[in-house]
Amino acid sequence: MASRVFASLATSTADTMTAANLVRALGVSPASVSKAIGYLEGMELVERHVEPGSRKERYGVGDDVWTRAVRADSSGHASVAEVADRGITLFGDDSPVGVRLAHMGRFFATLTEQLRGSDLADPTVDDAMTIVAALGHMRHRMTRAQLAIALEWNLHRLDDALQQLRQHPVLADPFTVHENNAGYCLQARPDRLSAGQRAALQKSEASTDDQ
């Protein structure tokens, strides 16, 4: 249910939806929507807004949703590591259970350290993902000047975000930001598709063109 609510919010033509909107769109009970919203808010995947002069609440998916979600998730990883450590004390570090818990604790502790030590908090990361969204929305090559004007950024801010994408291409996954003298565009990462899948897609595209 949480997945259905999130998908509805992410694909809505409006920026936000009310609980009543979600109930009608999904054909489910208000209680189901309320529970799903609570779960999604806990993961920081959904934002709650209150209309000015009204008590009516609306929900939406923010532009920085994935950055906030990863930060929130790192706290969950840390909790798993702490629970594993308590379990080792309970079962003994030389017991089969203790050994398994030690492996689990080390994994989640390392994962937490990597996430918290990353540069996801850097504002240029959000800007980099905004560039990816802009190129995906336009679906054609854009020059540096066109991007700056469309996003209402100065060139310094734009260049910082583009540099972030060069240094961390994973921010555009499953695409890459391709640049040449004509500007920037998105290209699908070739390693995301097998040779057979690419051939099938090209065949489907050719068939569509013939029609």
Side-chain angles (χ1 to χ4, degrees):
M1 182 55 64
S3 298
R4 293 178 65 194
V5 168
F6 180 79
S8 294
L9 293 172
T11 58
S12 172
T13 54
D15 290 337
T16 58
M17 298 177 70
T18 64
N21 294 151
L22 289 164
V23 167
R24 286 193 297 269
L26 298 174
V28 296
S29 69
S32 297
V33 168
S34 177
K35 186 175 181 179
I37 288 292
Y39 175 80
L40 292 168
E41 283 187 310
M43 296 180 68
E44 298 196 27
L45 289 172
V46 162
E47 295 176 339
R48 185 188 298 254
H49 306 273
V50 179
E51 295 181 357
S54 169
R55 297 180 62 184
K56 184 179 293 185
E57 295 180 336
R58 303 187 67 89
Y59 309 96
V61 176
D63 294 335
D64 61 343
V65 60
W66 300 117
T67 302
R68 291 187 289 105
V70 169
R71 290 175 188 157
D73 211 25
S74 67
S75 298
H77 296 152
S79 297
V80 173
E82 292 170 4
V83 170
D85 286 341
R86 290 200 297 269
I88 293 169
T89 302
L90 179 63
F91 290 99
D93 57 9
D94 58 347
S95 69
V97 175
V99 171
R100 287 198 298 272
L101 290 174
H103 284 301
M104 184 176 76
R106 282 195 298 271
F107 173 81
F108 282 101
T110 300
L111 187 59
T112 301
E113 183 179 351
Q114 289 175 342
L115 287 172
R116 289 178 174 173
S118 71
D119 57 2
L120 284 172
D122 190 326
T124 59
V125 171
D126 283 340
D127 284 352
M129 291 188 285
T130 297
I131 289 176
V132 175
L135 293 174
H137 179 75
M138 295 304 294
R139 299 185 183 180
H140 62 70
R141 194 173 292 275
M142 297 182 72
T143 65
R144 177 168 168 264
Q146 287 172 332
L147 276 169
I149 292 171
L151 297 174
E152 299 181 337
W153 293 351
N154 59 48
L155 290 176
H156 177 72
R157 180 177 178 181
L158 180 73
D159 289 340
D160 283 348
L162 289 170
Q163 183 61 26
Q164 188 72 253
L165 284 167
R166 295 185 191 102
Q167 294 175 346
H168 305 284
V170 70
L171 292 173
D173 189 56
F175 301 96
T176 60
V177 176
H178 181 263
E179 61 180 291
N180 59 24
N181 292 335
Y184 303 85
C185 69
L186 289 186
Q187 292 184 346
R189 281 183 50 175
D191 58 326
R192 285 294 182 189
L193 298 170
S194 67
Q197 289 171 330
R198 288 195 294 272
L201 288 167
Q202 289 169 352
K203 182 178 179 180
S204 175
E205 184 178 22
S207 175
T208 301
D209 290 340
D210 291 340
Q211 294 175 2

